Amino acid sequence: MVLSEDEVRAETELWSSMTCGELIKQQNAIVINADESVEGACEILLKNNILSAPVENLEKKQLIGVFTYRTLVESLVAKLPQNKRPQELNMSDLLHSVGPKVPVADIVERTFSSVLPSDTLAMPVTQFGNRIHRTAVVAEHGEFEGMLSQGLLLGFLQANLPKLKS
């Protein structure tokens, strides 16, 4: 689909006028406490039907990483008992191989992309074009404010681009 000049102008105007902070201000982000156990973090993801969640040091109000099912699987595979094949283990065995009381902070993905609340939507769009699925919105002093995902951004565009065309 080829966009008209007016549609391109409207889209550009939207990217450059809306900030990341404005887009997430109504968000009720699910955040995992860094002291939460791996099992507890899995329960949070399952309960909220999400694939990942930011992990925050609540005392310092700082994001330390992102817990994803991928990071969980990587940790589990690294700790599989050598004498058992993966298909011989159940989920409980796998979680206990990491350790039931291991804090989620020990296995989070510590490299993550971030934007400032004052950044326009052009910044995460550029990041999403580089195989990133979500980006943290973090204030200049390091306080976590929310997560901006591809889905959130696409939902915003879907709701607002038709308005700009008319």
Side-chain angles (χ1 to χ4, degrees):
M1 177 175 130
V2 178
L3 297 176
S4 71
E5 260 186 60
D6 287 341
E7 289 171 324
V8 170
R9 194 175 310 109
E11 189 173 315
T12 303
E13 187 178 303
L14 186 60
W15 294 139
S16 60
S17 63
M18 181 73 161
T19 67
C20 297
E22 289 173 303
L23 188 56
I24 62 141
K25 71 180 172 188
Q26 300 300 320
Q27 182 184 69
N28 186 17
I30 306 299
V31 178
I32 300 173
N33 184 336
D35 295 330
E36 182 68 61
S37 70
V38 170
E39 282 183 280
C42 288
E43 288 173 14
I44 290 168
L45 295 184
L46 288 169
K47 179 179 136 197
N48 291 285
N49 196 29
I50 55 178
L51 301 174
S52 65
V55 177
E56 185 177 26
N57 178 322
L58 296 179
E59 289 175 17
K60 295 180 181 177
K61 293 192 179 245
Q62 289 186 328
L63 184 66
I64 63 160
V66 178
F67 178 67
T68 67
Y69 283 126
R70 188 187 82 216
T71 55
L72 172 64
V73 169
E74 288 171 352
S75 296
L76 295 173
V77 168
K79 297 186 182 217
L80 278 175
Q82 297 298 322
N83 60 344
K84 285 194 174 185
R85 295 187 316 219
Q87 60 269 30
E88 295 173 346
L89 298 169
N90 62 36
M91 189 55 150
S92 179
D93 292 335
L94 289 172
L95 286 174
H96 285 292
S97 72
V98 172
K101 301 297 180 209
V102 171
V104 70
D106 288 358
I107 67 166
V108 296
E109 193 174 305
R110 293 194 184 272
T111 55
F112 54 89
S113 66
S114 65
V115 293
L116 294 169
S118 59
D119 286 337
T120 66
L121 296 182
M123 179 66 84
V125 166
T126 302
Q127 293 175 340
F128 294 158
N130 291 315
R131 301 184 69 170
I132 291 173
H133 304 288
R134 72 193 75 74
T135 189
V137 181
V138 180
E140 288 184 25
H141 56 278
E143 187 172 333
F144 173 71
E145 294 195 6
M147 289 299 276
L148 203 159
S149 67
Q150 287 178 339
L152 180 63
L153 183 60
L154 289 173
F156 171 77
L157 291 175
Q158 184 178 25
N160 289 282
L161 280 178
K163 293 176 193 172
L164 291 174
K165 291 180 188 176
S166 53

